[in-house]
């Protein structure tokens, strides 16, 4: 967890610096602010699907709503899908049916991260990208309006550049869903 946290901080700093420079050039903005977060404990997991969802010990009474972003040491973990007054449910990025638009900052290309029920979601790139490499970082898009921009997600672990219509790969998440006891929740 310590290594994931250190890598998250370094990645966040790099992504924020890139985004800050881009915004300063486009809009001449000198300052930016970060949305507040809510800490919540993980109170339950699915017995047969530890890589699919989490139950958190905070809910609607704490200001949590469906669509809120869930982060852990390392980066993005998932999205709130439902809430009760005292609890909330998180769909993890690894969950089958989870789909998230992502960004590969080094090559400035978008892709789709798809949960396949394993510890490593699948990355489907949009179009041919011959210069993508194992080890490239994956983050949320700097232009995202659905999620917080520039959140670290993971590292590309394997690639199949021969896949059609575009390359596919597996991504090792920086936040380890199976090792998380507390999370941070933020509004997009």
């Amino acid at each position: 967890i310590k290594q994931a946290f250190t890598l998250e901080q370094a990645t966040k700093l790099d992504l924020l610096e890139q985004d800050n420079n881009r915004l300063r050039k486009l809009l001449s903005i000198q300052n930016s602010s970060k949305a507040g977060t809510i800490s919540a404990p993980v109170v339950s997991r699915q017995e047969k699907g530890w890589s699919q969802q989490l139950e958190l010990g905070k809910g609607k009474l704490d200001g949590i709503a469906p669509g809120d972003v869930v982060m852990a040491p390392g980066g993005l973990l998932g999205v709130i899908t439902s809430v009760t007054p005292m609890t909330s449910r998180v769909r993890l990025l690894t969950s089958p049916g989870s789909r998230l638009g992502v960004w590969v900052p080094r090559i400035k290309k978008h892709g789709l991260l798809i949960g396949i029920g394993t510890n490593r979601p699948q990355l489907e790139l949009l179009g041919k990208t011959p210069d993508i490499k194992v080890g490239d970082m994956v983050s949320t898009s700097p232009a995202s309006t659905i999620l917080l921009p520039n959140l670290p997600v993971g590292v590309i672990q394997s690639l199949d550049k021969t896949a059609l219509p575009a390359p596919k790969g597996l991504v090792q998440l920086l936040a380890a869903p199976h090792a998380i006891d507390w999370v941070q929740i933020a509004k997009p």
Side-chain angles (χ1 to χ4, degrees):
I1 289 177
K2 286 180 183 179
Q3 288 176 337
F5 182 75
T6 301
L7 187 54
E8 171 195 20
Q9 295 304 314
T11 302
K12 274 186 178 179
L13 180 61
D14 185 44
L15 292 170
L16 287 172
E17 285 176 354
Q18 289 176 22
D19 199 40
N20 192 19
N21 289 334
R22 181 181 63 86
L23 289 173
R24 284 181 187 211
K25 288 178 186 175
L26 293 174
L27 302 172
S28 299
I29 293 178
Q30 298 290 327
N31 298 318
S32 64
S33 62
K34 184 179 178 188
T37 61
I38 301 168
S39 292
V42 174
V43 295
S44 175
R45 299 173 190 268
Q46 278 189 337
E47 182 179 327
K48 293 183 182 178
W50 277 54
S51 63
Q52 296 181 20
Q53 71 181 29
L54 302 173
E55 295 284 333
L56 305 179
K58 292 197 178 177
K60 188 179 268 188
L61 294 176
D62 301 292
I64 297 171
D68 288 353
V69 176
V70 180
M71 299 170 291
L76 183 64
L77 191 63
V79 177
I80 300 290
T81 56
S82 63
V83 294
T84 69
M86 302 291 288
T87 65
S88 51
R89 181 169 287 163
V90 180
R91 175 184 270 180
L92 298 173
L93 298 176
T94 53
S95 174
S98 173
R99 294 181 173 282
L100 173 68
V102 292
W103 178 251
V104 182
R106 186 184 66 77
I107 61 171
K108 296 179 175 56
K109 298 282 184 181
H110 284 98
L112 186 63
L113 193 68
I114 301 170
I116 55 175
T118 66
N119 287 337
R120 293 183 179 157
Q122 181 174 304
L123 174 65
E124 292 185 4
L125 295 162
L126 305 178
K128 291 288 183 193
T129 50
D131 50 342
I132 193 155
K133 298 177 184 173
V134 169
D136 279 347
M137 292 297 302
V138 177
S139 70
T140 58
S141 172
S144 179
T145 58
I146 296 173
L147 297 174
L148 295 170
N150 294 320
L151 289 177
V153 173
V155 177
I156 297 174
Q157 291 293 301
S158 65
L159 279 172
D160 179 1
K161 291 186 179 185
T162 62
L164 294 174
K168 292 182 180 185
L170 293 177
V171 173
Q172 177 65 53
L173 298 179
L174 295 176
H178 60 279
I180 301 300
D181 292 328
W182 281 83
V183 298
Q184 296 290 316
I185 303 162
K187 301 234 176 258

